[in-house]
Amino acid sequence: MNTADLGLPVDVPSTALFTDQYELTMLQAALKAGTAERRSVFEVFTRRLPDGRRYGVVAGTGRVLDAVENFRFDADVLAFLHERGIVDEQTRDWLAGYRFGGDIWGYPEGEVYFPGSPVLRVEGSFAECVLLETVILSILNHDSAIAAAASRMASAAGGRPLIEMGARRTHELSAVAAARAAYVGGFATTSDLAAGFRYGIPTVGTSAHAFTLLHDRERDAFQAQVDTLGRGTTLLVDTYDVAEAVRTAVEVAGPELGAVRIDSGDLLLVAHRVRQQLDELGATRTKIVVTSDLDEYAIASLAAAPVDAYGVGTQLVTGSGHPTSSMVYKLVARAESADPGAPLVPVAKKSSGGKVSVGGRKWAARRLDADGIAEAEVVGTGQVPAELAGRELLVPLVRGGTVIAREPLDVPRQRHIAARANLPLSATQLSRGEPVLPTEYVQGRSGS
């Protein structure tokens, strides 16, 4: 099963080498030591949110499922590993038959998270779980960072649509993943055709300054675009003189002109002037789209401006200053032996320097106040307290190696809207502050 099973056309290639070498050297050593088959539990979490952020957004889960399903070592890859001396013959033979056969639980994509939230839990033998560390973190750290930035921008936009247009500001494959994460976080469309092709995200785009500069007159460029794309198109009006361009645009397209785009200058001032001019020319329904290196703060500053949509590029695909979510993948419980019935014992890193982790196989639930608004993220081991029953956050994603939770992208997009609405109002503030929910730990009697 793959993206094609959702009616999408692109399959994911093998992800087996999207990993760090030490995953394979640990596997080799564990096979020799006889500990590779010990039942183990790994969890993905972050110790802190990026400075000033009030919540995180889980994104990339669907891509993780594809990556796990396509984690296969073909003959060429196995030959590479063996020829380079990265693995010995025993390990190479073990990898040849690798298929993840364990279970994965996680926060559903689009859900919010906080420091300590076990956003993903991977269970199986040590050998099959440890290999997935790097690829899982690579996806979740990137996509969750983009989705968090997108969510903040969507909040700042106050319901006005956002266009993702950052493909030229990042790696070509990262651009596709960023467009997907942005859509989960609240963006409406993307300019990236690969993202539209792979994930079915609505795509948009009309023209750049080069098209205007190509023609002898701005009027000729506008006329050519309207003749091709219709009166509902968006005309770029800041190549030369904005006021003159707006006048020409309405003359060419008439009051049915779909929109004008402003890509430079004092956007607040220019937007007000353009709106007044459009109204005076009778183009009262023509929308105004603004671009030009926007972030959530710039978007918020335009809240009182007559802007109908925002196009965002660089700041979005770089996480608006926080390009990673700092998630880690840690062993939190393992069996005492390779016996399938051996009980799990909690394990945890105890070193100093702020990298301490909490051992034990964990659950998470969100406690609500009397008004139904979230007031705490509760994380614990053992039994879930009765008062939190039905509020658990982790859901099954993979069972016995089979993906069971693949879903259309509109589902996590809507889930995020609901999750954000369930947070205290201060979650949407752009001013610096602590996570909007505290994380409370409940210690159970067992890590199993």
Side-chain angles (χ1 to χ4, degrees):
M1 184 178 289
N2 223 302
T3 50
D5 294 291
L6 294 176
L8 301 173
V10 180
D11 286 346
V12 176
S14 170
T15 52
L17 291 185
F18 292 165
T19 191
D20 290 305
Q21 183 168 317
Y22 81 168
E23 314 293 6
L24 300 184
T25 55
M26 283 192 288
L27 168 65
Q28 180 170 299
L31 288 171
K32 282 189 178 298
T35 53
E37 296 305 317
R38 286 188 177 187
R39 189 161 60 104
S40 300
V41 180
F42 287 82
E43 289 176 353
V44 175
F45 62 93
T46 185
R47 296 184 176 94
R48 63 192 64 84
L49 296 180
D51 187 34
R53 295 287 168 90
R54 304 297 181 90
Y55 60 91
V57 180
V58 178
T61 308
R63 297 207 308 120
V64 165
L65 298 180
D66 285 342
V68 170
E69 201 168 52
N70 290 279
F71 205 92
R72 304 282 187 270
F73 294 84
D74 60 26
D76 289 341
V77 168
L78 292 169
F80 162 77
L81 295 174
H82 193 57
E83 290 166 4
R84 292 288 184 94
I86 296 170
V87 298
D88 60 18
E89 189 171 343
Q90 177 194 10
T91 307
R92 181 194 62 187
D93 293 343
W94 189 93
L95 291 173
Y98 179 83
R99 301 290 186 273
F100 178 74
D103 300 333
I104 300 178
W105 291 66
Y107 280 38
E109 189 162 19
E111 184 56 86
V112 297
Y113 70 88
F114 300 90
S117 296
V119 298
L120 201 74
R121 190 175 73 218
V122 182
E123 305 183 25
S125 70
F126 176 84
E128 64 184 336
C129 294
V130 74
L131 294 182
L132 300 177
E133 174 182 6
T134 302
V135 70
I136 285 176
L137 289 179
S138 176
I139 293 170
L140 292 180
N141 269 316
H142 174 270
D143 290 23
S144 296
I146 305 304
S151 178
R152 284 163 60 88
M153 292 173 186
S155 292
R160 298 170 180 174
L162 292 155
I163 307 163
E164 186 282 312
M165 47 195 304
R168 64 192 61 194
R169 302 301 189 197
T170 188
H171 184 280
E172 64 272 18
L173 297 182
S174 296
V176 181
R180 184 188 183 281
Y183 190 69
V184 170
F187 275 58
T189 54
T190 179
S191 66
D192 189 88
L193 290 177
F197 180 69
R198 180 182 287 270
Y199 297 116
I201 302 170
T203 58
V204 295
T206 51
S207 68
H209 293 104
F211 186 73
T212 300
L213 295 169
L214 170 68
H215 294 80
D216 296 334
R217 299 185 305 163
E218 192 170 45
R219 178 182 294 273
D220 297 337
F222 289 173
Q223 188 65 62
Q225 185 173 327
V226 169
D227 288 346
T228 302
L229 301 179
R231 296 177 184 274
T233 191
T234 299
L235 295 175
L236 181 59
V237 296
D238 71 330
T239 305
Y240 304 118
D241 180 83
V242 173
E244 182 61 30
V246 170
R247 185 178 304 107
T248 302
V250 176
E251 288 176 359
V252 170
E256 298 85 8
L257 175 62
V260 295
R261 178 162 75 95
I262 307 167
D263 189 50
S264 59
D266 183 335
L267 297 179
L268 179 62
L269 176 62
V270 176
H272 277 287
R273 287 177 175 174
V274 168
R275 181 73 271 159
Q276 180 180 354
Q277 186 180 10
L278 286 170
D279 291 346
E280 290 173 351
L281 293 170
T284 56
R285 296 186 180 181
T286 299
K287 298 182 183 301
I288 297 175
V289 180
V290 297
T291 52
S292 187
D293 206 26
L294 299 175
D295 62 9
E296 60 265 49
Y297 301 101
I299 292 169
S301 73
L302 293 168
V307 172
D308 298 287
Y310 305 89
V312 190
T314 303
Q315 294 301 318
L316 175 66
V317 298
T318 57
S320 196
H322 299 288
T324 180
S325 303
S326 298
M327 292 181 182
V328 295
Y329 184 96
K330 297 298 180 183
L331 181 67
V332 296
R334 51 87 176 167
E336 296 176 324
S337 71
D339 183 341
L344 289 174
V345 294
V347 294
K349 181 177 180 179
K350 299 297 184 184
S351 63
S352 60
K355 289 191 173 183
V356 175
S357 56
V358 178
R361 180 181 186 271
K362 288 178 270 310
W363 50 263
R366 194 158 295 151
R367 191 171 69 238
L368 308 181
D369 65 16
D371 297 318
I373 300 299
E375 66 176 8
E377 191 89 339
V378 186
V379 177
T381 58
Q383 288 293 111
V384 179
E387 64 270 19
L388 294 174
R391 301 299 309 172
E392 297 97 330
L393 292 163
L394 279 79
V395 299
L397 302 172
V398 176
R399 182 174 292 133
T402 300
V403 174
I404 60 173
R406 196 170 269 114
E407 56 190 7
L409 199 54
D410 279 329
V411 174
R413 174 181 166 82
Q414 293 303 317
R415 181 182 293 125
H416 177 62
I417 292 172
R420 191 175 62 203
N422 193 238
L423 296 176
L425 189 59
S426 58
T428 60
Q429 292 178 347
L430 297 181
S431 57
R432 293 186 179 275
E434 296 300 311
V436 72
L437 296 188
T439 302
E440 300 176 0
Y441 289 96
V442 177
Q443 292 294 330
R445 291 179 297 175
S446 171
S448 60

